Amino acid sequence: MKLVSTPRIEFLRTLAAEILHNYGRGRTIIAVDGNERAGRVSFADDLAAVFRESEHPTFRASLRNFQHSRAEQQRLGGDRLDVSERLYRVGYDYSTLRRVLVEPFRLGSSTGFVTEEFDPDRDAWIQPTWQTAPADAILIVDGAYSNRPELHGLWLFSVLLESVSGSESDRQYLADVHPRDIVSAVVDNTNADLPRRVLTDRC
């Protein structure tokens, strides 16, 4: 379906064209990083809509649906971490992310994959729904801290959204990882209606 043209959609069409030019064949996984959840989710959803507009099979997932349970986070982090820092340090189940989503998606063919495994709002597991995809397909994964070392090599293209100032854990992530030096594109998303590409020292 043809999307209504707005400055935001035109920006995303340009970004999608760049990605398809470089990674249009086979299975492509794109990460959307940034410290504001609503901005990440909206950006990733709209980027997926732009890919689907061009009839390119596209799937969505969020890192928040691959978190450890609260009890497991407590066990791993103990009482020394507050809730925000615990989520940053031990909150995510990257092993399961790789096993049920990233690795089977990359395999291609008829291999099934799962786009969500845990509901952090209910603190409960989600009954898995296995999906398959054609040979050429895109998976867009949004999530905080998605360029940390444990995830290096998973994404063919990654976007860092910059907007509002984040929490102490968000600032720690920026200091620890320097995602600006890693990602494929940095986007100023302060005005979500008018996102703009930011040049970095790597450009």
Side-chain angles (χ1 to χ4, degrees), residues 24-178:
R25 301 297 298 273
R27 299 285 180 88
T28 298
I29 307 180
I30 301 166
V32 178
D33 194 357
N35 61 27
E36 186 187 15
R37 178 186 166 198
R40 287 194 314 266
V41 172
S42 177
F43 190 94
D45 284 346
D46 287 350
L47 181 59
V50 165
F51 280 118
R52 290 171 182 145
E53 178 186 48
S54 62
E55 300 185 349
H56 200 96
T58 304
F59 299 82
R60 280 281 288 113
S62 294
L63 288 184
R64 75 184 307 267
N65 294 123
F66 291 90
Q67 290 183 22
H68 288 299
S69 67
R70 293 169 197 159
E72 182 67 2
Q73 291 183 41
Q74 176 69 31
R75 185 186 72 81
L76 294 171
D79 296 325
R80 60 188 177 84
L81 305 176
D82 63 27
V83 173
S84 177
E85 189 176 4
R86 186 181 300 146
L87 183 63
Y88 173 46
R89 298 295 181 188
V90 298
Y92 294 90
D93 187 352
Y94 296 130
S95 176
T96 296
L97 173 75
R98 289 174 180 269
R99 178 172 51 83
V100 304
L101 177 56
V102 173
E103 292 174 0
F105 184 83
R106 280 175 160 178
L107 283 174
S109 66
S110 59
T111 304
F113 54 89
V114 174
T115 57
E116 54 181 10
E117 188 257 355
F118 188 78
D119 182 344
D121 296 324
R122 295 189 299 113
D123 194 34
W125 307 107
I126 297 172
Q127 182 69 29
T129 300
W130 294 90
Q131 303 182 61
T132 59
D136 298 332
I138 285 174
L139 169 64
I140 302 176
V141 182
D142 75 87
Y145 321 130
S146 57
N147 285 283
R148 61 189 306 160
E150 296 94 320
L151 301 175
H152 285 180
L154 297 191
W155 329 122
L156 282 180
F157 194 97
S158 57
V159 179
L160 175 65
L161 299 181
E162 296 185 331
S163 54
V164 298
S165 177
S167 66
E168 180 60 36
S169 294
D170 294 324
R171 290 187 285 274
Q172 188 64 52
Y173 168 64
L174 295 177
D176 289 346
V177 177
H178 303 285

Side-chain angles (χ1 to χ4, degrees), residues 187-198:
V187 174
D188 181 347
N189 200 50
T190 305
N191 182 348
D193 293 329
L194 293 169
R196 64 181 184 87
R197 194 80 168 256
V198 178

